[in-house]
Amino acid sequence: MPLAKFSKIEGYAEKRHGGAKGVAEILKQHPGGKPSDLKRGDDRFLAGMAQGVFSAGFNWKVIEAKWDGFEEAFFGFNVRKVASFDDDDIARLLADTRIVRHGPKIKSTIENARFILEIAKEHGSFGKFLRDWPASDQIGLIEVLKTRGSRLGGATGSYFLRFNGWDAFILSRDVVAALIREGVIDKAPTGKAAMKAVQEAFNVWTRESGRPQREVSRILALSVG
């Protein structure tokens, strides 16, 4: 089955959401991070990882409301300091009511601080590592986050990238439904072959439309719901 022209998918989205102007307005409401965010210090990437990990499977509004407390409890997410946390620090955090006291996610944040240090040693900084990774290989980047980081696979990794300035697509329920409709996949993608097909479709549609992956992803979702 030949891949549909993206203009056809845009047409579906426009029909559902008030034409091209309606779609444009919705895209403005869900911008994600800015490319300039990739030039921030590595402490902000650790904070972004922690926010994603703690929000996964939890009410994100609770995490947002407590975020100042998280910043204080983790010393502004100073990467070297968090990477050096020991059992006493974990015990301290488990007793700290300013944060959500979830032991595995606290440990995950410490592990991710060490992951960031490793990447920074190899590439100069975590931000430079992300800036240098091509948007045409999101599945490869997610694999690095999943295998070398902690709790950063799948949707958590994609949301982390999106909201920290890297041009990521999100495989939400509606995006998956659109990809199935267009014959890219036949069910929610889990294996390497299916993910490769998804990436190839996004690469074609971003080239064809001139849009970033985040907008292609959002328009796919809007074409369904």
Side-chain angles (χ1 to χ4, degrees):
M1 178 178 177
L3 192 63
K5 293 292 185 182
F6 196 68
S7 57
K8 179 181 178 182
I9 297 168
E10 289 176 316
Y12 293 150
E14 290 167 5
K15 186 175 181 180
R16 286 178 171 274
H17 297 280
K21 287 185 178 180
V23 170
E25 284 302 313
I26 293 172
L27 293 178
K28 290 178 184 177
Q29 298 167 16
H30 300 272
K34 305 180 294 295
S36 59
D37 291 340
L38 294 176
K39 296 184 178 180
R40 299 179 303 174
D42 285 351
D43 60 310
R44 293 303 86 201
F45 294 111
L46 180 57
M49 289 176 184
Q51 198 159 26
V53 167
F54 274 93
S55 296
F58 201 76
N59 187 333
W60 65 268
K61 291 183 179 180
V62 173
I63 304 301
E64 188 175 72
K66 285 180 168 283
W67 196 250
D68 287 346
F70 274 91
E71 290 280 353
E72 293 167 1
F74 284 93
F75 301 101
F77 291 97
N78 180 292
V79 178
R80 291 192 178 280
K81 193 170 187 67
V82 176
S84 70
F85 279 5
D86 57 18
D87 289 345
D88 289 341
D89 290 293
I90 293 171
R92 169 181 62 80
L93 290 166
L94 286 171
D96 195 330
T97 58
R98 294 175 297 178
I99 69 170
V100 171
R101 294 170 289 174
H102 188 290
K105 293 185 178 184
I106 289 170
K107 292 177 182 177
S108 175
T109 302
I110 298 169
E111 291 167 9
N112 283 330
R114 294 167 183 166
F115 164 51
I116 287 175
L117 286 181
E118 290 173 0
I119 293 291
K121 185 176 180 181
E122 296 167 8
H123 298 270
S125 71
F126 196 83
K128 185 176 185 303
F129 164 71
L130 291 180
R131 291 195 303 272
D132 290 345
W133 196 283
S136 59
D137 186 26
Q138 178 172 328
I139 59 172
L141 181 52
I142 291 293
E143 185 66 16
V144 173
L145 296 178
K146 177 183 177 180
T147 58
R148 297 186 61 179
S150 176
R151 293 175 175 255
L152 294 175
T156 300
S158 295
Y159 277 109
F160 160 72
L161 293 173
R162 166 80 65 85
F163 287 100
N164 286 274
W166 199 86
D167 183 28
F169 58 78
I170 304 291
L171 293 179
S172 67
R173 180 178 61 185
D174 285 347
V175 171
V176 169
L179 291 169
I180 292 172
R181 181 194 66 211
E182 300 305 332
V184 176
I185 49 178
D186 58 8
K187 60 181 180 180
T190 54
K192 290 184 178 180
M195 288 303 297
K196 181 180 179 181
V198 169
Q199 183 71 74
E200 289 175 350
F202 271 95
N203 292 348
V204 170
W205 287 329
T206 54
R207 288 195 301 269
E208 179 189 320
S209 67
R211 292 180 180 275
Q213 288 193 144
R214 65 182 180 276
E215 290 189 2
V216 170
S217 176
R218 187 67 178 140
I219 289 169
L220 281 166
L222 293 173
S223 76
V224 171

